[in-house]
Amino acid sequence: QVQLEESGGGLVQPGGSLRLSCAASGSIFTIYDMGWHRQAPGKERELVAAISSGGSTNYADSVKGRFTISRDNAKNTVYLQMNSLKPEDTAVYYCNAKILNTDWRSYDYWGQGTQVTVSS
């Protein structure tokens, strides 16, 4: 089994910062792409940022210049540094990863989600 565990969400004022972390554990052979998605109430889940195993990144236009995705391959962990947060960033944030497990099967795994609320 493979698990993704997120941490770092919470309540922050507009203009503030938060850092999300997501650690993968379990029967992992290789982790390919990792990313963060979010889902606000009444809206569809959307990609926020993604990072390849080689470190290439891409971002949603709405977060470019404010959010930074990074990963620590030795720790099987992906991070999302969120700066200059806006109320419209309020959502449940989910990490995901494409992982080849030790049964030689590749799946997209998802974390349970962490709430980020930006409000004064």
Side-chain angles (χ1 to χ4, degrees), residues 39-59:
Q39 187 166 20
K43 295 188 176 181
E44 294 186 354
R45 189 173 298 189
E46 63 174 355
L47 174 68
V48 176
I51 185 167
S52 71
S53 57
S56 298
T57 59
N58 68 283
Y59 297 91

Side-chain angles (χ1 to χ4, degrees), residues 2-69:
V2 173
Q3 299 85 35
L4 298 183
E5 184 171 359
E6 299 130 333
S7 61
L11 173 65
V12 63
Q13 292 186 342
S17 298
L18 280 176
R19 188 192 195 208
L20 305 183
S21 300
C22 174
S25 63
S27 305
I28 298 169
F29 187 80
T30 299
I31 301 178
Y32 301 113
D33 293 351
M34 305 182 83
W36 291 93
H37 290 67
R38 68 185 180 188
Q39 187 166 20
K43 295 188 176 181
E44 294 186 354
R45 189 173 298 189
E46 63 174 355
L47 174 68
V48 176
I51 185 167
S52 71
S53 57
S56 298
T57 59
N58 68 283
Y59 297 91
D61 287 343
S62 59
V63 307
K64 283 181 180 176
R66 300 188 298 121
F67 291 11
T68 302
I69 189 170

